[in-house]
Amino acid sequence: MSLTATARITAAPGGSLPVLESDGPLALRRTRTTGPDADARVTVVGAMSAPLGGDRLALEADVRDGARLLVDAAAATVALPGRTPAPAHYDVRLTVGEDAELRWLPEQLISAYGSELCMRTTVQLAATARLVLREEQILGRHGEEPGTLTTRLTVHRAGAPLLDQELRYGPGASVGWDGGAVLGGHRAVGQLLLVDPDMADKPAEPRLLGETAVLTPLAGPAVLVTALAADARLLRRVLDRALDDLTG
């Protein structure tokens, strides 16, 4: 039997969370902030195994004008096969208002053998909004082949497109997804997106961040870091270093 669930977060200025609504496997907990980067922090805690084949999950976050929110997770999300052959769907919908800031830093998404997951992240940013968004995909648990994973990240800023990219891995993907032109045998893939209006005056320069990571300026006050690594630990190290470098 498949599952449908939608969890919701609304953040207001001053650390208020007028909406904190858990649903199904998506349990939301307010946790203590650990630095000056956010007025409120919400941790996603998995309440059951999900997503399984056929599940439809959604997580929505609305950061109102002037608010600052950090969202992280207590553990990795593991996509698993279910009783139905239908793919699982996981939609993340984020809205960040004027002079607001969202730091979206979940743990890794693991594509287990036999699973099929379609994950869609959609972001709507106001013109003066700030965003730090990290995505990490781990293709297979230790010693196993991955499932089929499709991810799409779409970002609009002030109503205009900023980024729209789709990635697809595993046995259901096109031939060559694991070849030298794509993953080259790596099993950890990550993206770090940073949007900051202050970058309009100091745009970043494109550059390599080691042998398998690159920083790319976008057509707006934003940069995208894309990285490959042998495992989750090495991937996180690359993305953390890039974030420290970009934010000082």
Side-chain angles (χ1 to χ4, degrees):
M1 182 176 179
S2 58
L3 175 70
T4 299
T6 300
R8 296 179 175 89
I9 307 166
T10 298
S16 173
L17 294 172
V19 177
L20 190 62
E21 183 179 317
S22 303
D23 193 10
L26 302 173
L28 307 177
R29 301 288 184 264
R30 178 162 192 157
T31 47
R32 182 179 300 176
T33 55
T34 57
D37 298 319
D39 295 324
R41 176 185 176 189
V42 174
T43 299
V44 182
V45 180
M48 62 181 74
S49 295
L52 307 178
D55 287 352
R56 290 186 172 272
L57 308 180
L59 179 53
E60 300 176 353
D62 180 12
V63 186
R64 294 178 179 173
D65 295 353
R68 300 190 305 162
L69 174 67
L70 165 64
V71 178
D72 58 12
T77 297
V78 184
L80 297 165
R83 295 183 178 181
T84 170
H89 293 264
Y90 190 0
D91 293 326
V92 175
R93 297 183 283 268
L94 311 175
T95 304
V96 189
E98 297 288 354
D99 296 312
E101 180 175 344
L102 173 62
R103 296 173 65 85
W104 189 263
L105 302 172
E107 291 300 308
Q108 299 90 353
L109 170 62
I110 301 173
S111 175
Y113 177 74
S115 67
E116 184 174 359
L117 173 64
C118 299
M119 183 165 185
R120 177 74 183 264
T121 301
T122 305
V123 186
Q124 299 287 341
L125 300 173
T128 55
R130 289 174 167 80
L131 173 71
V132 176
L133 182 147
R134 182 183 68 212
E135 290 189 339
E136 297 167 302
Q137 297 94 35
I138 310 303
L139 306 181
R141 292 168 294 191
H142 181 70
E144 75 173 6
E145 292 297 311
T148 297
L149 175 62
T150 302
T151 68
R152 185 167 182 177
L153 173 60
T154 304
V155 183
H156 285 77
R157 176 178 177 269
L162 178 67
L163 176 67
D164 191 356
Q165 73 171 18
E166 182 172 293
L167 306 171
R168 187 169 171 83
Y169 312 110
S174 301
V175 174
W177 66 271
D178 197 24
V182 186
L183 295 186
H186 294 87
R187 284 293 180 266
V189 187
Q191 301 85 38
L192 176 69
L193 174 64
L194 183 66
V195 183
D196 188 336
D198 292 342
M199 290 184 179
D201 298 326
K202 297 180 180 180
E205 295 292 331
R207 61 183 184 272
L208 293 174
L209 304 174
E211 296 183 357
T212 57
V214 62
L215 183 150
T216 306
L218 302 181
V223 295
L224 177 68
V225 176
T226 305
L228 302 176
D231 57 38
R233 179 181 60 84
L234 294 175
L235 177 65
R236 179 64 61 83
R237 182 184 300 173
V238 172
L239 296 180
D240 281 350
R241 286 177 178 172
L243 181 58
D244 289 342
D245 180 57
L246 289 167
T247 60

